[in-house]
Amino acid sequence: MSTSRLRRWPLKAVAIMSLTAAVAACGGSTDTAEPAAGESAADKKVFIGFANFAEPESPVLKALDTGMRKEAEKRSWDLVVLNNDRDGPTAVSNAETMVAQGVTHAVEFQGDGKVAPQLMDTFNAANIPVIAIDIAHPGAHFFGINNVEAGRLSGLAGGNHAKENWDCKPDLVTLLENEASGDVALLRTEGILKGLKEACPDLPDDVIQRRNSPTTPDGAQGVARDILVSKPDAKNILALGGNDNMVIGTINAAEQLGRAGNVFGYGLGADLMLFGVDTPGLGGSTAFWYEGYAKEIFKLLDKIVAGEAPAVVDSPTDPNAHFNPACQFPNDQVKSIPSLDQRIEELYAGDAGSASAAEKYCPEGVETYGLKG
């Protein structure tokens, strides 16, 4: 295993898991639009406004863009797609554009929590119901990942490895998080610790080295290297973190110090591992299934359009929010599922049915969250 192989991450891949960095959760409620009296959902004109996080160049955003277009086409609904360009003021301008164009429903993916209230004021004034992806907006239906439960799956996988191989006695557990990501980071870390202690309840707290870290492999590598240098006698090392990049950065640091053979890393997101990026040294990751987001979003839109909208839950900490299913995914099973392009084609084919990405592709026997049965 070479250091260069581990570190040579394409820019688009490195950027995937930093999409939700530096966000703030908000709270609130609003009403949703329903068909007018005497008007059926089938007769109602539906015009969806979708503002994507940025230009759909990364695999995550491209998959979301493709899914949104295909699901709208299936229903013969109109769709306008705008680019928030990772910028709050641009997102505000795009919301105003959607209202001016007469959209009936909006799907927002933007990461500036400071402008979320302003965005919602714009939509609320026009009585447009909103679904907010991954980032809480006051009064919008939250859709995304249950960060606590997703973190728990990764912590549990890491803890089970420590239990089976080291009798729950690792010499060191590195736990990297990005404080700038706000609640997202805190919730994921909370879940990781929950899962870790579930597998190894007597694990001493002083074995766990929790550090603030950048979200990229190179940035995380420096943080992890400092930890490893400070623990020269640690042999059995468990690497965990708020995304795959942080765990990979820890593996890179161990490789640089000649200690990679001692490290077991388990990631969070699986957006590198399952999106065609080679991830040697990573034992596995919790799969968020971003490519299936659009399918689940349109299931919610179907209810809203039909006048059967569920109560608005706008907080990612509320267990009643709309969460995408997730599951543990061992690295050695990546080749057992279709490629990303094939998965997108299967998920959004005209005869695809209602199964989520997690239902279709999660391996047998792994821990899951949000799956039926």
Side-chain angles (χ1 to χ4, degrees):
M1 181 187 305
S2 68
T3 305
S4 59
R5 186 184 180 203
L6 281 168
R7 295 182 59 196
R8 197 171 294 139
W9 300 103
L11 179 59
K12 293 176 185 178
V14 169
I16 292 173
M17 276 305 292
S18 63
L19 293 178
T20 56
V23 300
C26 307
S29 63
T30 189
D31 295 330
T32 56
E34 297 185 1
E39 178 185 32
S40 71
D43 295 332
K44 180 180 174 68
K45 177 186 176 183
V46 181
F47 182 12
I48 307 297
F50 169 48
N52 207 344
F53 196 92
E55 192 68 25
E57 295 177 341
S58 74
V60 166
L61 297 184
K62 183 178 180 181
L64 182 57
D65 179 88
T66 300
M68 293 292 292
R69 293 177 189 274
K70 287 184 176 293
E71 289 297 297
E73 183 180 359
K74 282 182 190 178
R75 294 161 174 79
S76 298
W77 291 353
D78 292 333
L79 174 73
V80 60
V81 179
L82 301 172
N83 172 15
N84 282 334
D85 202 25
R86 296 182 172 86
D87 178 65
T90 300
V92 171
S93 177
N94 284 339
E96 294 168 349
T97 297
M98 283 192 244
V99 171
Q101 291 189 5
V103 305
T104 57
H105 304 76
V107 179
E108 268 294 340
F109 191 13
Q110 71 90 25
D112 187 347
K114 296 188 296 295
V115 304
Q118 183 179 353
L119 254 153
M120 292 306 299
D121 285 345
T122 298
F123 289 125
N124 290 342
N127 196 31
I128 297 171
V130 181
I131 298 172
I133 300 175
D134 278 349
I135 314 302
H137 285 54
H141 295 274
F142 175 85
F143 175 85
I145 290 298
N146 185 322
N147 288 294
V148 173
E149 290 301 323
R152 174 190 163 270
L153 294 180
S154 288
L156 183 61
N160 282 335
H161 179 88
K163 183 177 182 178
E164 295 165 7
N165 294 275
W166 307 324
D167 194 28
C168 275
K169 296 177 181 177
D171 299 313
L172 174 65
V173 178
T174 60
L175 177 50
L176 305 188
E177 62 184 349
N178 180 251
E179 293 176 358
S181 297
D183 286 348
V184 170
L186 295 175
L187 294 171
R188 290 184 183 182
T189 298
E190 175 188 334
I192 290 171
L193 290 171
K194 179 180 178 181
L196 183 60
K197 290 299 184 85
E198 185 177 330
C200 296
D202 297 325
L203 184 69
D205 289 339
D206 60 4
V207 170
I208 304 170
Q209 295 293 308
R210 180 176 173 179
R211 295 285 190 279
N212 182 36
S213 168
T215 59
T216 62
D218 284 347
Q221 181 175 343
V223 176
R225 189 180 190 282
D226 288 344
I227 298 173
L228 294 173
V229 168
S230 73
K231 303 289 183 180
D233 297 328
K235 294 182 179 180
N236 299 324
I237 302 167
L238 178 61
L240 302 170
N243 66 20
D244 286 355
N245 285 333
M246 294 178 182
V247 179
I248 288 165
T250 304
I251 297 170
N252 289 345
E255 176 75 14
Q256 186 183 52
L257 296 169
R259 297 166 65 183
N262 301 332
V263 178
F264 177 81
Y266 204 91
L268 190 56
D271 44 303
L272 301 180
M273 194 177 77
L274 296 181
F275 278 54
V277 180
D278 193 20
T279 53
L282 195 65
S285 184
T286 294
F288 289 177
W289 303 111
Y290 290 107
E291 63 269 40
Y293 264 32
K295 191 160 194 169
E296 303 309 303
I297 288 168
F298 269 80
K299 290 178 185 178
L300 178 55
L301 282 170
D302 285 337
K303 294 179 181 179
I304 297 172
V305 170
E308 301 170 356
V312 171
V313 179
D314 58 12
S315 170
T317 63
D318 190 318
N320 295 311
H322 302 279
F323 295 121
N324 203 48
C327 67
Q328 296 171 340
F329 206 104
N331 203 348
D332 62 8
Q333 295 196 42
V334 170
K335 293 182 179 179
S336 71
I337 65 171
S339 69
L340 174 62
D341 287 343
Q342 289 174 310
R343 297 198 302 272
I344 292 173
E345 184 175 346
E346 291 176 359
L347 284 167
Y348 298 105
D351 58 352
S354 63
S356 67
E359 288 173 308
K360 289 177 70 67
Y361 304 120
C362 283
E364 292 287 337
V366 300
E367 289 280 339
T368 67
Y369 173 78
L371 291 182
K372 301 174 183 177

